[in-house]
Amino acid sequence: MDKYLIKKPRTQDSSPVQDSSPSSKRSRVDFNLENLPSDPGLRQKISSYHPNNHDEIRRYYLGKGPCRPPHDYPVSYFSGKPRRFRVEWYENRNWLEYSIAKDAAFCFYCYLFGKDVGKQGGGDTFVTKGFRLWNQVGKLDSHVGGVNSAHNQAVKKSEDLQKEKQHIQSVLVKQSNQDKANYRIQLNAIVDCVRFLLFRGLAFRGHDESQDSSDKGNFLELLQFLGDHNESINEVMQNTWKNCKLTHPDIQKDMVNAIAHETSKAIIEDLGNGFFSILVDESRDISVKEQMALVLRYVNKQGIIIERFLSIVHVASITALSLKCAIEGLLCEHNLSLSRLRGQGYDGASNMQGDINGLKTLILKENKSAFYVHCFAHQLQLTLVAVAKNHINIADFFYVVSNLVTVVGGSCKRRDALRDAQFAKIKEDLENGVRRSGQGLNQETNLKRPVDTRWGSYYGTILNLILMFSAVVDVLEIIEEDGLFDQKVESRSIMRSILSFEFVFALHLMKNILGITNEFGRPRRNTQQNTNLHHYRVELFYTVIDMQLQELNNRFSEVNTDLLICIACLNPSNSFMAFDKEKLIHLAKFYPYDFPGTDILALDSQLQNFIFDMRNNDLFLELQGVSELAEKLVSTRKHETYPLVYLLVKLALTLPVATATVERSFSAMKYIKNELRNRMGDQWMNDCLVVYIEKDIACSIDNETIMQRFQNMKNRRRQL
């Protein structure tokens, strides 16, 4: 038996799998296409993989292209002179790629098809070791060599691999022009079906996909529907080869993967070489696997703030170091670099925001300009919860409200009694002219259960309690009369609490604040209203506001506070009333890589001209917010007149505000990977999510582009 076919199972570490044959002289590496490293400095030689897998790996890398991440290239010194890799070297060198891990240049085609040729063309320098002699740029051209050099032979082999007509499959199976046209019709119909299902988050397969089954799955039924309503598609599907129906699950996954890759590629092209922030969060899927979602936030070429879902990946551990490795892997896979990162947005978990070993700290050690901003929505939520728990009166109030909802809504019978009592109250008020009737008024309501993680639920609970107070009291009286002994005791305790002067007066104040006009009871204690109003306003309300302000201040670091104060100076409202040149220059100093010393001086001059121009230009007088300012600067081409000011605006807008986009991606995950599809693989789920969430981008990709990528992924039986 051939020695290459005998392999030991792969162990838990990443070491190559050794051949069991004693005559084996080299090791073979098992692989997963989606786990192949993008960084050329981390790749293993093609020869370390099994020969049968070489072409598949080469096609995968050719589909991705050379690794060229935007990066702040580090400086090296040669004879005391600073030198580093330059982006300009990419021009007219489609083979050149850069490794962040090794700070070295590599040859893309020599890695894929090069042979061990000793010192010819640089030997292994551009394949495994990497080229780092930045002071000898001429060696990049000498690596290419003559017409028959090892490099040019590798380029020729890559071109041959991508030409379908030169494949052995094309020689064995001859296709006429009509066969190719029919294959294109068939493939185009497959793409349309896949798009339809992906955009709606529907499942592809059914329980029984046999010809006579009534549950063949959405994909086959949709394909049959297209054939029934299109004669050319029906004719092609009827006459196609039985082994080339393109309905196998592997074909479906390849097609979805092709659409997802093109969608991600379009997002990266829209980002270009600009700065970006990342929004990251983790959640468990239906299979109880920890999934990490990553969203990019950036300002596009039209000056519009964009947040795009990039990917979701399974993480075995949620430690800060594991998450950082996963983030770096995702960014590198899409030719992005941490050096272009200008903001981090997470929730308040300790593994995220820890000052010693948190994720934000690990990234800040590599990039001082990647400022961390705690999600504003989470901060407000945590502040309100903290104040509610730390103030005894507020904690007591919401404790009574929670118990009230539990008792009154504890059974269907009590809920029915509550609805009947409220209906009787509304009917009586309408007859007495207390309430107005009309469309949308006097709708059926119920008490909502408040939840700590959604502070808005407390607002809804209190609002409904005010509207249904009389009905709630009636239900409590029913429970007190007809309930069991324990229920009677609990009901009487709650009745005393909600009919106390303090509770009723608090509801009266909330009613006035919310503008509700109905009456639900009066305080039973005969006390002067001014004295009580002073108590609730000064001793309660003002105290709570002070506690909230203090809590918010504690949750913002000094750096974040300075950033937000400086960014506010860019607000164009009221003819740039908040403009402050000194604070904006201070903001620029937070980004030393983007604003070196000379640019700070130029920024000072540009800001003076900028504010004079803006206040005398009618197009900028009615703007509201920094985002509108960025769009208007681009549309009027003022961003070319004031490039440094526009850079400052982009950096301000790039900072993350909330992680709502990431939370929405988890909602989509629960819709895609539900109880009926709980065995979805990680890559399959990721591809479906990318297209489902970013369907507006996927819609803009034409079928021809998708078909070409699908065709080049593997050797296909038929040609386009």
Side-chain angles (χ1 to χ4, degrees):
M1 184 179 292
D2 185 52
K3 63 181 178 180
Y4 296 136
L5 298 180
I6 306 176
K7 297 193 296 181
K8 290 182 179 180
R10 191 177 182 183
T11 57
Q12 291 183 351
D13 58 14
S14 57
S15 59
V17 177
Q18 300 290 336
D19 189 358
S20 61
S21 172
S23 62
S24 174
K25 295 182 179 180
R26 64 175 63 181
S27 60
R28 300 300 179 192
V29 179
D30 291 337
F31 75 100
N32 184 341
L33 283 180
E34 299 304 329
N35 294 332
L36 292 176
S38 299
D39 191 305
L42 303 178
R43 299 171 185 162
Q44 301 194 42
K45 282 188 174 182
I46 290 290
S47 58
S48 65
Y49 299 98
H50 194 281
N52 292 345
N53 299 328
H54 287 183
D55 281 353
E56 186 178 3
I57 296 172
R58 287 165 176 158
R59 286 179 179 276
Y60 174 78
Y61 278 119
L62 285 170
K64 296 183 65 173
C67 180
R68 296 181 172 184
H71 186 62
D72 292 333
Y73 305 104
V75 176
S76 301
Y77 288 88
F78 299 88
S79 300
K81 297 181 180 180
R83 295 289 186 270
R84 64 180 179 179
F85 185 89
R86 299 179 64 85
V87 179
E88 293 78 9
W89 296 346
Y90 286 138
E91 296 179 4
N92 301 322
R93 296 185 180 96
N94 62 345
W95 53 270
L96 186 62
E97 54 182 354
Y98 177 81
S99 167
I100 296 177
K102 290 189 175 181
D103 182 30
F106 290 81
C107 178
F108 181 62
Y109 297 111
C110 287
Y111 165 73
L112 295 178
F113 295 93
K115 296 182 178 180
D116 189 3
V117 291
K119 295 184 178 180
Q120 179 182 352
D124 274 355
T125 300
F126 286 88
V127 178
T128 56
K129 300 177 182 178
F131 175 81
R132 298 190 62 191
L133 300 177
W134 310 135
N135 61 333
Q136 301 180 26
V137 186
K139 289 192 174 182
L140 294 177
D141 296 326
S142 64
H143 166 74
V144 176
V147 176
N148 294 322
S149 66
H151 170 82
N152 285 321
Q153 290 179 14
V155 174
K156 181 66 168 58
K157 290 178 181 178
S158 69
E159 294 174 351
D160 293 342
L161 182 64
Q162 297 180 80
K163 293 180 180 178
E164 289 185 328
K165 294 182 179 179
Q166 298 189 17
H167 293 172
I168 187 65
Q169 185 74 26
S170 302
V171 177
L172 296 176
V173 181
K174 293 293 184 180
Q175 281 186 258
S176 64
N177 292 334
Q178 183 61 42
D179 291 334
K180 294 180 180 180
N182 291 341
Y183 180 58
R184 182 175 294 276
I185 293 175
Q186 181 187 7
L187 203 57
N188 198 69
I190 297 294
V191 175
D192 289 338
C193 293
V194 171
R195 280 182 186 269
F196 182 90
L197 297 176
L198 285 176
F199 292 167
R200 290 157 181 80
L202 301 176
F204 280 66
R205 303 178 63 186
H207 295 292
D208 183 4
E209 297 185 352
S210 59
Q211 186 69 26
D212 300 328
S213 173
S214 59
D215 186 13
K216 294 185 290 188
N218 293 325
F219 181 79
L220 293 179
E221 290 182 359
L222 187 59
L223 193 60
Q224 183 177 352
F225 176 83
L226 286 178
D228 293 341
H229 292 78
N230 188 305
E231 293 183 2
S232 60
I233 294 178
N234 184 52
E235 182 179 355
V236 169
M237 296 300 296
Q238 292 294 331
N239 298 326
T240 192
W241 308 334
K242 291 185 178 181
N243 63 350
C244 196
K245 293 288 187 179
L246 300 181
T247 57
H248 192 273
D250 290 345
I251 296 295
Q252 299 170 14
K253 291 180 180 180
D254 286 347
M255 188 65 72
V256 173
N257 184 260
I259 301 175
H261 269 86
E262 291 298 329
T263 303
S264 299
K265 180 181 176 182
I267 293 174
I268 300 302
E269 289 177 352
D270 188 42
L271 169 61
N273 292 328
F275 305 113
F276 63 93
S277 294
I278 57 173
L279 308 175
V280 178
D281 202 356
E282 320 96 43
S283 179
R284 291 183 179 181
D285 61 19
I286 192 66
S287 300
V288 198
K289 297 171 66 175
E290 199 73 34
Q291 304 287 351
M292 184 193 75
L294 188 144
V295 171
L296 298 180
R297 177 184 172 93
Y298 60 93
V299 179
N300 67 3
K301 298 176 180 62
Q302 289 75 40
I304 302 173
I305 306 173
I306 301 294
E307 289 187 359
R308 293 292 185 190
F309 175 78
L310 185 64
S311 184
I312 190 168
V313 61
H314 169 57
V315 287
S317 172
I318 57 173
T319 61
L321 187 59
S322 299
L323 295 178
K324 178 177 178 292
C325 292
I327 291 172
E328 286 181 325
L330 285 177
L331 294 180
C332 186
E333 182 181 343
H334 294 88
N335 277 345
L336 298 175
S337 168
L338 282 178
S339 65
R340 308 297 288 177
L341 189 63
R342 292 298 179 268
Q344 311 173 60
Y346 317 126
D347 58 17
S350 59
N351 63 330
M352 294 294 195
Q353 66 169 356
D355 291 331
I356 299 178
N357 291 319
L359 177 60
K360 65 127 179 182
T361 304
L362 295 179
I363 293 179
L364 280 172
K365 289 179 181 179
E366 296 188 15
N367 184 353
K368 300 296 184 182
S369 299
F371 295 107
Y372 165 72
V373 178
H374 188 180
C375 172
F376 285 6
H378 282 88
Q379 288 195 81
L380 180 59
Q381 166 71 23
L382 293 172
T383 299
L384 293 172
V385 171
V387 171
K389 290 181 178 179
N390 293 335
H391 195 287
I392 184 63
N393 291 335
I394 295 180
D396 181 63
F397 177 83
F398 284 112
Y399 176 77
V400 173
V401 171
S402 298
N403 286 344
L404 174 64
V405 175
T406 301
V407 172
V408 174
S411 67
C412 297
K413 181 179 179 180
R414 295 177 188 176
R415 288 182 177 272
D416 291 339
L418 181 64
R419 279 191 288 266
D420 294 340
Q422 179 65 6
F423 178 76
K425 177 64 177 174
I426 293 175
K427 183 177 180 181
E428 180 183 350
D429 289 345
L430 289 173
E431 292 174 352
N432 297 332
V434 177
R435 293 176 182 262
R436 293 185 298 121
S437 61
Q439 185 175 4
L441 299 178
N442 305 315
Q443 297 293 314
E444 180 180 313
T445 57
N446 212 328
L447 290 181
K448 300 179 180 179
R449 184 178 299 278
V451 183
D452 273 351
T453 56
R454 292 177 176 84
W455 190 255
S457 63
Y458 281 88
Y459 171 81
T461 301
I462 294 172
L463 182 64
N464 288 350
L465 178 58
I466 293 173
L467 294 172
M468 307 177 67
F469 189 81
S470 298
V472 168
V473 173
D474 293 341
V475 173
L476 288 174
E477 290 176 348
I478 294 174
I479 298 174
E480 189 174 352
E481 293 178 1
D482 302 334
L484 300 176
F485 180 78
D486 292 342
Q487 296 173 347
K488 290 181 178 180
V489 173
E490 190 176 18
S491 176
R492 176 172 295 184
S493 175
I494 294 175
M495 182 82 76
R496 289 174 179 174
S497 298
I498 69 171
L499 294 181
S500 65
F501 176 81
E502 291 79 5
F503 191 92
V504 176
F505 193 87
L507 289 182
H508 269 290
L509 290 179
M510 293 180 184
K511 182 199 73 169
N512 293 332
I513 293 173
L514 299 174
I516 301 174
T517 58
N518 72 306
E519 297 294 335
F520 56 84
R522 288 292 183 183
R524 293 182 177 180
R525 191 179 302 169
N526 187 13
T527 312
Q528 292 184 356
Q529 294 293 324
N530 292 335
T531 304
N532 294 316
L533 184 60
H534 179 272
H535 165 72
Y536 280 98
R537 176 179 292 170
V538 177
E539 299 180 11
L540 184 63
F541 182 72
Y542 291 167
T543 302
V544 171
I545 294 299
D546 289 340
M547 292 176 64
Q548 288 181 346
L549 291 175
Q550 183 63 38
E551 188 70 24
L552 285 172
N553 290 333
N554 293 338
R555 294 185 180 276
F556 281 93
S557 65
E558 184 178 351
V559 174
N560 283 354
T561 303
D562 288 345
L563 278 173
L564 296 175
I565 291 175
C566 294
I567 289 173
C569 297
L570 290 169
N571 191 350
S573 302
N574 300 321
S575 299
F576 292 84
M577 180 182 294
F579 183 84
D580 189 321
K581 186 180 71 172
E582 298 302 324
K583 289 183 179 179
L584 291 177
I585 293 176
H586 180 61
L587 174 62
K589 292 180 180 178
F590 280 101
Y591 302 94
Y593 297 109
D594 307 317
F595 292 95
T598 55
D599 284 352
I600 293 292
L601 298 176
L603 177 64
D604 191 334
S605 175
Q606 282 192 22
L607 285 172
Q608 291 182 1
N609 298 331
F610 170 79
I611 192 60
F612 178 81
D613 189 2
M614 295 297 102
R615 286 174 174 169
N616 290 277
N617 192 327
D618 294 339
L619 296 175
F620 293 85
L621 293 180
E622 298 182 357
L623 297 180
Q624 299 293 329
V626 184
S627 59
E628 292 186 12
L629 173 63
E631 295 181 40
K632 186 61 69 174
L633 285 173
V634 174
S635 63
T636 57
R637 304 183 71 85
K638 293 288 186 181
H639 70 297
E640 298 176 356
T641 307
Y642 309 106
L644 295 178
V645 178
Y646 182 65
L647 175 58
L648 204 60
V649 171
K650 286 205 302 181
L651 289 171
L653 292 175
T654 301
L655 279 175
V657 177
T659 58
T661 306
V662 187
E663 302 291 351
R664 284 193 290 268
S665 69
F666 289 137
S667 298
M669 178 186 71
K670 293 178 181 178
Y671 181 74
I672 296 294
K673 188 174 182 179
N674 51 39
E675 293 182 355
L676 296 178
R677 306 173 70 186
N678 57 15
R679 297 178 63 185
M680 291 182 71
D682 294 332
Q683 186 61 42
W684 174 235
M685 181 183 70
N686 174 73
D687 294 340
C688 291
L689 278 176
V690 169
V691 182
Y692 177 73
I693 295 174
E694 302 298 342
K695 56 174 67 74
D696 57 329
I697 297 291
C699 283
S700 63
I701 302 171
D702 58 77
N703 284 9
E704 182 63 28
T705 303
I706 297 171
M707 290 189 294
Q708 290 296 338
R709 173 171 282 276
F710 169 81
Q711 198 69 14
N712 293 329
M713 290 173 66
K714 298 178 181 177
N715 285 330
R716 306 294 180 186
R717 286 194 177 95
R718 303 172 70 181
Q719 303 174 32
L720 281 175

